[in-house]
Amino acid sequence: MILIIVLIFVFSDSIISVEGFVFQISSYVKTSSSSTPSGCSSITSLCLASTDVEKEQTPKNSKKKSVNNHNNNNNRKRYQNQQYRKGGGGKNQKALMKAKALNKEIIECTSPSEVLQIFLSSGAARNTAGNGEMNSVNFSTSLHRLAKTCSMGILQRPNNYNNKNNNMNHRQNQQSNAKKFRTMTLTDPRFAILLCAVSEAFVEKKSMFNCRELSNISWALAKINFVPDKTSIPLSLTSNDIFKEDGVAEPDTVTIESMDNMLLMSAKRLRESVLLAGKHKKTTGEASQYDKLWISQMRILGAHLLDAIAAHTQHNLLSKFKSQELANMLWSFATVGRTRISLFNDLVLRLMENQTTQQSNNNNNRNQKNDYDSYKCKPQEISNSIWSFAKAGIRGEGQVKLLHFVAETFEEDPDYIQLFKPQELSNTAWGVATLLSKRAQFESTNNNSGSVSSSPMTEEEAAEEDMSAFKIIRQIALELVERIDQFKPQEVSNTVWALATVEFGIRQETSSEEDLALLNEVFHKAAVNALPRLRRFSPQELNCLGWAFAKLGAEKGNPEVDLLFQGIGDEVKRRYTYFSPQDVGTTLWSFATMGYTEFKDVYNVAASRVSLKDAPSFKPQELSNSIWALATSGIVPPNTHVFDTTLYGAKTANEMLKKAVTMDRSDTVTECFMAVAMELMKRPFAFKEQELKDVLWSFSKAGVRHPLLFKKVAEHVVGESATSTTHRGLLDFTPQGIGNLAYSYARQAQLSKEQQQEEQANPSYSSSNGRLAVYETICIDMGEDLVNRLFATVADCSLRNGLNAFKPQDLSNTAWSFATLGLLHEEFFSAITDQVVNRIAAQLPRKSQSLLPASSKNLKRNPSLNPEVFKPQEIANLAWAFATVNYGSSSDILYYIGPYVTEKVSPCAVTYKGSPKEFDEVCISKRFNRQELANIAWSCAVLGQYPEGLIQFLYSGLMGSGKNRGDHIYMENLYQDQGLQKQTVMSLLYVQMALDLEAADYELFLPDQFLETWWGGNQQQQSDNGYNNIVDDASLMELSTSRLQTSVGRAFERIEFDHVQEHVLGSGNGDEKCSSTALDFLSIDIANLDERIGIEVDGPAHFINVLDNYLQESSSTKSDVDTETNDDSRDKMSVILPRKPRKTGKLQNNSDGKMWKFEYSARRQVNGPTALKHRLLCHMGWCVIHLPFWEWNTLGNDESNEDTYCRELLEEVIE
């Protein structure tokens, strides 16, 4: 024995480091004892050897007296506890007294080391199941005390604790020691042996463990936080559990007995692992793989112990649990993530049953004093239960009934909620909001682990749950207003966050005017309360507070709200290095949503966190939120061309980028945009559809072109080629996601035209004019085939999912994008047409239904249509899109839009002194801008549809009415637009000519000297959303002759066809009589004035690409079918149809720079501007021949072929 004691002290100072943790373990000492199983006494000696080391780590103020007294009596005979709790006998009484004394010692411990030393010195580590030296109460108390000391640090207060500074220092020491104590505990072999003993005792003496002890053990294991969740180690489920989880029992299920055997086996393996680690240390003095092994085995044992406790609770003890124990069990299993529906439902239903039983008993006893503790659940029990369901992500019968139960309790007894502490109110609100916010996610997922509900809720059940939740949130909001001074920063932040998450006060289905008034009171109280103590708010609490105010629609301009956000901004600038990626993204989003664009320094400082170095650690949502906020607030890179390798070439763009990012470190915004783009290209599949489209939208909104980014994302979505099988697709995109994605690509291409106009010269890029320049740019950026496949996929996925869920803005964005790029998908545009006319017919007031066309009587009402009203900009963009792609002339779409605009969107009809009905331009100006009005008017002319009320409405809005009609200065002041854009003036000249020729009875005219006085100069007007609709290809007052047209002109000269080039109408020959305004805006490419034969040389800018069936044909290995048609199909009013298989163009480099050479395509048809011009010329008596560019290109510059081709064209007309 002396030799053993000497060996113990020799090896007592061994220390091993395991992955950065301080692991205390002594050397293995072989014992000669034969009375215990192999290895048990060895482990005891092993743990005893660390006694001296542990004494050094015990806090100086710890009470050691009882521990030392116990150590001095280690060799005394131990009392056996096998008969404990079985009644009778003196030994039982002595055992009980001994257990009580031991429990008292444990409770007095102030550090984990003291608790473990008592376990060791009591002899409980000498054999399995505690060697009879500890009972269930001792085990429960030991683990509970370990958890307490690990989480709280040193529990003993200093003598001068009342001193404010010492009080603060004590709390800081507690936090520091808590982390250290937890590390020491989890790397201490004595804790591993204690866990083994508890597990073994639970199996061998299960009946000894009562509800409170099981609750405390579960709570302790969760509090120490070392048990893996169910995703790391699967749950152990009995057949009954599995049946409850998914309704189907499996043949090979786990029984209670097999779960116990698994628990014993895990305990045995852990003991062996600790023993092997000690042996290796004694032999080599170094760490080994066994060090990691026993810690891993300890985590597995903890998981199996909790699973066994759960099964035992459900099957044997559920009816005996008290409310607090039930709530603690819920909290424990939710915290460690070992959750299942059946367990949580059983626990919470039992908790509510206890409440009902207690209340019934209290009601039967009329003389009993009305004491809340006697018949109501304690607030902490309610709070923990709701929090647990939310934390665990569980929905089911129990959760729904719990919310209803709490809501009814609050409603029946308004005073009950006053017993809730601020933390309990905050946790309850957080839990309720989290459960509601994730309902859709829960219902879409189902698995055997019990993470979600197995059956979706009906609409009635969901509405009932919403009502219960809002009743709870409403009461908590009232308490927040009354007691906000008692709330800590985190509690204020979480409570307001919960209100925002459920949209309290702003959600129409569940909110009232009283709720809105309460919400405003919350804004006031929270802002006033938080402002003076913002420095005490953590970055996460600041971002939650700001997010909640923005989400709930707090108004900018409210002094209290403005001061709050100014204060949050100051904290961002002061502590930006402490803000996590989530805090950065959310805070920027809040400022942008609120409209605080003036805090430029806040945005710049926050953007600096999204650097090239740190961006890889950001989640996709954090990246997208950050860049979205910058773009929305107008915080853009100083040089928006730094990524534009198409317009400026890779070398020039890289030089600009290098200068912006590496040489000038103060340009944090450019680096932020670059970092986000790189992360999206690097890990596109990590980005959800909303995050992906938000990044693209932000670049386009900010006016920053990034061709490589947009190409990579397009390849990610539709594949690098038509045969790719690894692409993402668009089926998971929402309607808004599809609309914004399409808009972003169209806007990127449109930006190139605007940048060229700004710089007026660009040596590295040769582009066409107008709309063709837009399409040509995106072809150079991405390739024509990729562009067509992307937008064909947009149309295809939209049609598959249906358009009923599309909001008006989604329809408008998508249609506008197709038209801007000169793309048409006829089936898709037909579906959009159906949506527009059906929604208009459903939304138009009954008294105005008679204004709709006769076709409206055949419409079938569809209750699933999105009920949102079309906004003016959405109507204008839809009309413009249909006209641009020359689609809708047969659908009467404008005859639906007309009554909708005049009767619902902007009812501005007035009567001037008995005159016919006119429209008030002041009223119109409040809803529409003049570009939108002009676009609608131009669309009427292109489609040849002139709803009477709509045309009068448009002319009143554009040129004024009554005494103000024709007063351009008055109209400029009214709209604050500095006059009409040049393109708008040109489009209105076309409109007037169309009215003169096709609707003269309206007697509507442009003001005198319209062209000279109404054009406001070269200012660029653009809507707030970035739309800039190009009505025509170029300025029609600046005529030019293309190379193609010159070549065609020479051929007609060779065949002696008398003609002039670029003939301007209105210069004689009687054309002036066709219109009430000058005609010098209209020209013919090649004109024979005597015969009135006009030849229009139609380059690529005159056509749009039709995408129907593009995907099927692109992926086909066979060649396209020849679509050659007879020459008889061509006449004066028709479009020349294609004659050859489809081809896409290719990129060419010439002396002028880059350009896209368009090839023939079987999918081209004339666009709206070309069709309108053709129709007007025909009305004026001209015979118009169209010569498409691809037919001329096939002649191969052979003069003989060209001459023959020209003769054949003329012969067709002359005949």
Side-chain angles (χ1 to χ4, degrees), residues 821-1100:
L821 295 176
L823 302 173
L824 170 64
H825 192 290
E826 292 182 333
E827 185 182 359
F828 181 48
F829 269 71
S830 176
I832 294 177
T833 302
D834 292 341
Q835 288 288 322
V836 172
V837 300
N838 277 278
R839 294 187 192 192
I840 286 177
Q843 296 176 15
L844 201 63
R846 179 170 298 181
K847 64 179 181 179
S848 304
Q849 291 285 328
S850 61
L851 300 175
L852 294 175
S855 59
S856 64
K857 298 179 181 179
N858 300 323
L859 298 177
K860 295 181 179 180
R861 304 301 182 188
N862 186 352
S864 63
L865 292 174
N866 189 295
E868 288 191 23
V869 175
F870 288 89
K871 296 177 182 177
Q873 185 183 62
E874 295 158 358
I875 293 173
N877 285 345
L878 280 168
W880 178 87
F882 274 81
T884 299
V885 298
N886 194 22
Y887 186 89
S889 58
S890 61
S891 66
D892 293 336
I893 187 171
L894 290 177
Y895 288 104
Y896 285 87
I897 288 178
Y900 190 75
V901 168
T902 59
E903 302 295 322
K904 184 173 181 64
V905 177
S906 185
C908 302
V910 294
T911 300
Y912 288 101
K913 299 179 180 180
S915 63
K917 183 171 71 172
E918 295 189 24
F919 294 89
D920 179 17
E921 70 278 0
V922 176
C923 177
I924 296 173
S925 68
K926 294 178 181 178
R927 302 301 307 276
F928 288 85
N929 63 48
R930 287 201 284 181
Q931 181 180 340
E932 294 164 352
L933 296 172
N935 286 343
I936 298 175
W938 179 80
S939 304
C940 291
V942 171
L943 298 178
Q945 298 177 13
Y946 306 99
E948 182 177 1
L950 178 61
I951 296 298
Q952 293 173 342
F953 176 94
L954 296 172
Y955 263 63
S956 295
L958 286 163
M959 266 72 72
S961 61
K963 65 179 181 180
N964 296 318
R965 184 171 183 81
D967 188 339
H968 68 93
I969 297 178
Y970 165 78
M971 296 301 290
E972 287 180 19
N973 293 333
L974 177 63
Y975 282 96
Q976 295 293 304
D977 58 6
Q978 300 178 354
L980 297 176
Q981 297 183 59
K982 188 174 184 179
Q983 292 173 343
T984 303
V985 170
M986 295 302 165
S987 69
L988 290 176
L989 293 174
Y990 272 99
V991 172
Q992 183 61 53
M993 185 175 183
L995 285 174
D996 293 339
L997 295 171
E998 298 177 339
D1001 55 332
Y1002 285 176
E1003 296 184 353
L1004 292 172
F1005 308 103
L1006 295 176
D1008 295 336
Q1009 296 183 330
F1010 175 73
L1011 184 61
E1012 294 79 5
T1013 59
W1014 285 70
W1015 174 25
N1018 291 320
Q1019 79 281 359
Q1020 290 291 324
Q1021 292 179 345
Q1022 184 171 299
S1023 69
D1024 293 338
N1025 290 333
Y1027 299 99
N1028 189 3
N1029 298 331
I1030 302 173
V1031 172
D1032 206 357
D1033 297 335
S1035 171
L1036 298 180
M1037 302 298 291
E1038 299 171 2
L1039 299 175
S1040 61
T1041 304
S1042 67
R1043 295 178 182 176
L1044 174 63
Q1045 182 178 329
T1046 301
S1047 176
V1048 173
R1050 292 197 191 104
F1052 277 104
E1053 288 177 1
R1054 289 195 300 267
I1055 65 173
E1056 298 181 351
F1057 176 69
D1058 187 22
H1059 69 278
V1060 295
Q1061 295 204 34
E1062 297 298 349
H1063 169 64
V1064 178
L1065 274 70
S1067 57
N1069 299 310
D1071 293 333
E1072 299 87 352
K1073 301 177 182 179
C1074 298
S1075 178
S1076 60
T1077 187
L1079 297 180
D1080 53 1
F1081 64 91
L1082 191 60
S1083 69
I1084 300 176
D1085 293 340
I1086 298 173
N1088 182 305
L1089 302 182
D1090 296 332
E1091 301 283 342
R1092 295 185 73 80
I1093 297 175
I1095 299 173
E1096 285 289 284
V1097 181
D1098 294 336

Side-chain angles (χ1 to χ4, degrees), residues 328-541:
N328 284 347
M329 291 286 280
L330 286 169
W331 181 91
S332 304
F333 283 90
T335 300
V336 299
R338 302 195 67 77
T339 57
R340 63 191 76 171
I341 292 177
S342 60
L343 174 64
F344 272 56
N345 281 345
D346 288 347
L347 291 174
V348 78
L349 292 174
R350 182 61 197 175
L351 185 145
M352 290 185 288
E353 185 179 344
N354 286 354
Q355 153 72 11
T356 303
T357 302
Q358 292 170 1
Q359 186 170 356
S360 177
N361 293 337
N362 183 69
N363 292 337
N364 292 333
N365 186 357
R366 301 289 184 180
N367 296 325
Q368 183 174 345
K369 183 178 179 180
N370 185 15
D371 183 3
Y372 284 111
D373 291 336
S374 67
Y375 71 93
K376 286 192 183 295
C377 293
K378 294 180 180 178
Q380 187 178 26
E381 297 162 5
I382 294 291
S383 174
N384 283 355
S385 299
I386 293 178
W387 181 92
S388 299
F389 271 93
K391 175 69 175 177
I394 283 182
R395 291 185 59 82
E397 177 189 9
Q399 168 261 325
V400 174
K401 289 185 176 181
L402 175 61
L403 292 187
H404 183 67
F405 166 77
V406 176
E408 279 193 338
T409 303
F410 284 173
E411 195 170 32
E412 292 172 0
D413 189 353
D415 294 333
Y416 176 52
I417 196 172
Q418 296 178 8
L419 299 176
F420 281 66
K421 298 176 182 177
Q423 182 179 4
E424 294 160 353
L425 292 171
S426 173
N427 287 347
T428 302
W430 180 89
V432 171
T434 301
L435 285 170
L436 285 194
S437 67
K438 295 184 178 181
R439 181 164 62 198
Q441 173 188 343
F442 294 156
E443 293 180 350
S444 65
T445 311
N446 184 25
N447 55 54
N448 294 340
S449 62
S451 63
V452 294
S453 174
S454 58
S455 57
M457 302 181 74
T458 64
E459 291 185 5
E460 294 76 11
E461 291 171 337
E464 184 177 351
E465 183 188 26
D466 288 346
M467 191 59 64
S468 298
F470 270 75
K471 287 180 180 179
I472 297 172
I473 293 292
R474 185 177 294 112
Q475 293 299 319
I476 294 175
L478 288 169
E479 290 301 309
L480 176 67
V481 169
E482 288 293 324
R483 296 192 273 157
I484 194 169
D485 291 338
Q486 302 173 19
F487 280 63
K488 296 177 181 177
Q490 183 181 18
E491 295 158 0
V492 172
S493 175
N494 284 354
T495 305
V496 179
W497 175 91
L499 267 65
T501 300
V502 301
E503 299 180 341
F504 179 79
I506 61 175
R507 187 175 173 185
Q508 294 181 352
E509 299 88 349
T510 51
S511 300
S512 62
E513 292 183 4
E514 291 78 8
D515 290 339
L516 182 58
L518 177 57
L519 177 61
N520 290 328
E521 187 67 14
V522 169
F523 286 151
H524 168 72
K525 290 283 187 178
V528 172
N529 177 271
L531 186 59
R533 52 174 181 160
L534 283 177
R535 292 202 170 195
R536 295 173 55 188
F537 280 70
S538 69
Q540 183 180 7
E541 292 158 3

Side-chain angles (χ1 to χ4, degrees), residues 538-744:
S538 69
Q540 183 180 7
E541 292 158 3
L542 288 171
N543 94 60
C544 282
L545 188 65
W547 177 87
F549 271 67
K551 179 74 173 179
L552 288 169
E555 293 183 0
K556 178 185 178 182
N558 182 318
E560 295 154 351
V561 175
D562 291 347
L563 286 174
L564 175 65
F565 272 83
Q566 183 178 347
I568 293 176
D570 291 340
E571 291 304 309
V572 172
K573 292 184 290 183
R574 190 173 67 88
R575 292 187 276 162
Y576 71 95
T577 56
Y578 296 95
F579 275 64
S580 70
Q582 181 180 6
D583 301 330
V584 171
T586 306
T587 302
L588 285 176
W589 181 92
S590 303
F591 273 77
T593 302
M594 288 291 295
Y596 288 112
T597 58
E598 61 269 28
F599 299 135
K600 305 293 184 183
D601 48 351
V602 175
Y603 290 98
N604 285 308
V605 165
S608 67
R609 294 282 286 113
V610 193
S611 62
L612 292 171
K613 177 183 177 182
D614 297 332
S617 65
F618 279 62
K619 295 179 181 178
Q621 184 180 12
E622 297 157 358
L623 294 170
S624 66
N625 280 352
S626 298
I627 196 172
W628 179 90
L630 294 176
T632 301
S633 303
I635 310 297
V636 301
N639 186 348
T640 58
H641 313 323
V642 293
F643 308 111
D644 198 340
T645 54
T646 295
L647 267 65
Y648 297 92
K651 182 177 181 180
T652 303
N654 287 336
E655 289 176 354
M656 292 188 293
L657 184 61
K658 182 179 179 181
K659 180 179 180 181
V661 176
T662 60
M663 298 179 64
D664 183 7
R665 298 302 301 175
S666 63
D667 187 2
T668 59
V669 176
T670 298
E671 184 172 359
C672 175
F673 272 75
M674 181 180 180
V676 173
M678 291 181 64
E679 291 304 310
L680 176 52
M681 291 187 287
K682 188 188 305 180
R683 42 180 172 139
F685 278 103
F687 283 69
K688 297 178 181 178
E689 61 92 8
Q690 180 176 350
E691 298 154 358
L692 187 149
K693 61 94 176 170
D694 279 351
V695 172
L696 298 185
W697 181 91
S698 300
F699 271 84
S700 294
K701 172 66 176 177
V704 179
R705 278 181 39 80
H706 198 312
L708 179 60
L709 169 65
F710 278 74
K711 180 180 180 181
K712 291 295 184 183
V713 172
E715 292 174 343
H716 165 69
V717 171
V718 299
E720 296 183 13
S721 67
T723 58
S724 173
T725 58
T726 59
H727 57 274
R728 177 179 194 149
L730 291 173
L731 289 177
D732 64 331
F733 275 57
T734 63
Q736 183 186 27
I738 288 178
N740 283 0
L741 181 77
Y743 163 82
S744 300

Side-chain angles (χ1 to χ4, degrees), residues 160-169 171:
N160 55 353
Y161 179 77
N162 292 330
N163 181 280
K164 184 175 181 180
N165 293 331
N166 288 331
N167 184 358
M168 184 175 300
N169 291 335
R171 288 198 300 270

